[in-house]
Amino acid sequence: MAGVDGCKAGWIAVLRNLNDPAGITLKLFPRFSDLLSHIPILKIIAVDMPIGLPDLLGPDGRGAEKAARKHLGMRQSSVFSVPSRASVYEVDYWAACETSLKSSEPPRKVSKQCFYLFPKIREIDGLMSPSLEDRIYEVHPELAFWRLNGEREIDLPKKVKGRANPDGLDQRRDLLLTKGLPRELLDQKPPKGCGRDDLLDAAANSLIAERIHFGNATPFPQDYQRDGKGLRMAIWA
């Protein structure tokens, strides 16, 4: 199984084998499709990237973001609103905003933070189908940390004014240590094009992959909807 986070260099993944607790590795994948073709097969892939894109965005956005934010308190701003599929497939920011205005009610533009994720959202959307839903699950690191922290939000942010916050990252690392992940994994130098926050997020997502495997994870919201491709719109934790 794998916990995955997008990064500048591609996709950073913490790979785990529950039959071999010591067999936990960090691996960088240039393309998301490389995760699907990995040998041995990754039976569960828990990835921090929106899956399921609405054709028309209502007042509350995707139900997944709204359901996740309810639990995150000061960390809820980490959950970006995902615009319509048509907007996500625009490659120019202002074109994306124009398309989003036409496909949302009330009309709204696209945040710059979300726009920078569009290439990776398109990468998954182009591969994803309902038949892959038993392997690929949308997760969110801050919701993962909330779940792992006894359903309490993490006190400190990962970033302050756009820069890594060592205290917030240490707090998350220390929580992951209590869940049995090895310090050598969590404290290693990330690969080029991957930040320490990406590594820790992938590690947290790997623990949600374990929860999914054992049937202990739940979708947010539980009464999730499906998009025009038949894909569920839910964040798992």
Side-chain angles (χ1 to χ4, degrees):
M1 66 182 61
V4 183
D5 193 49
C7 62
K8 290 181 179 179
W11 303 87
I12 190 70
V14 171
L15 307 181
R16 303 178 60 204
N17 182 347
L18 296 183
N19 296 321
D20 179 15
I24 181 168
T25 58
L26 183 72
K27 187 171 182 179
L28 182 65
F29 293 83
R31 299 170 298 275
F32 192 79
S33 59
D34 296 331
L35 285 147
L36 297 181
S37 59
H38 184 270
I39 301 297
I41 292 174
L42 300 171
K43 294 183 178 180
I44 302 291
I45 300 172
V47 58
D48 172 26
M49 201 57 61
I51 299 174
L53 305 173
D55 294 324
L56 177 67
L57 200 66
D60 296 323
R62 289 200 318 165
E65 283 86 13
K66 181 181 179 181
R69 290 190 188 109
K70 289 180 180 179
H71 303 284
L72 297 182
M74 294 183 295
R75 305 281 81 80
Q76 63 180 278
S77 62
S78 65
V79 183
F80 302 144
S81 294
V82 180
S84 67
R85 174 173 278 110
S87 180
V88 167
Y89 275 83
E90 297 284 5
V91 297
D92 173 78
Y93 175 68
W94 294 111
C97 286
E98 183 177 352
T99 300
S100 180
L101 287 169
K102 296 176 181 177
S103 55
S104 57
E105 184 58 46
R108 73 196 79 173
K109 294 182 180 180
V110 176
S111 71
K112 277 287 181 69
Q113 296 97 322
C114 190
F115 177 75
Y116 294 141
L117 296 178
F118 281 8
K120 284 187 162 50
I121 298 175
R122 292 195 295 264
E123 190 177 347
I124 291 184
D125 188 60
L127 294 168
M128 194 67 192
S129 67
S131 64
L132 287 172
E133 288 186 341
D134 62 342
R135 290 184 64 196
I136 303 174
Y137 294 78
E138 177 183 347
V139 297
H140 191 284
E142 288 307 304
L143 192 66
F145 284 117
W146 166 84
R147 179 71 87 189
L148 299 170
N149 195 39
E151 300 186 359
R152 299 186 305 273
E153 67 184 271
I154 299 294
D155 297 334
L156 301 175
K158 286 187 293 189
K159 293 185 177 181
V160 176
K161 296 182 179 180
R163 295 190 176 186
N165 177 24
D167 291 339
L169 295 175
D170 286 348
Q171 189 179 34
R172 287 163 177 79
R173 185 271 317 276
D174 292 345
L175 174 60
L176 296 175
L177 288 173
T178 69
K179 301 302 176 182
L181 296 186
R183 182 177 290 273
E184 308 82 65
L185 170 79
L186 302 174
D187 280 346
Q188 68 180 281
K189 183 179 180 180
K192 185 178 179 180
C194 172
R196 185 185 177 205
D197 57 330
D198 300 321
L199 188 160
L200 295 176
D201 286 351
N205 294 343
S206 77
L207 293 172
I208 301 304
E210 180 181 352
R211 287 180 55 85
I212 293 170
H213 173 76
F214 287 113
N216 296 325
T218 56
F220 291 76
Q222 292 195 22
D223 58 342
Y224 57 80
Q225 297 181 334
R226 293 184 176 273
D227 72 0
K229 289 179 60 175
L231 303 177
R232 66 187 171 212
M233 294 183 283
I235 299 172
W236 292 75

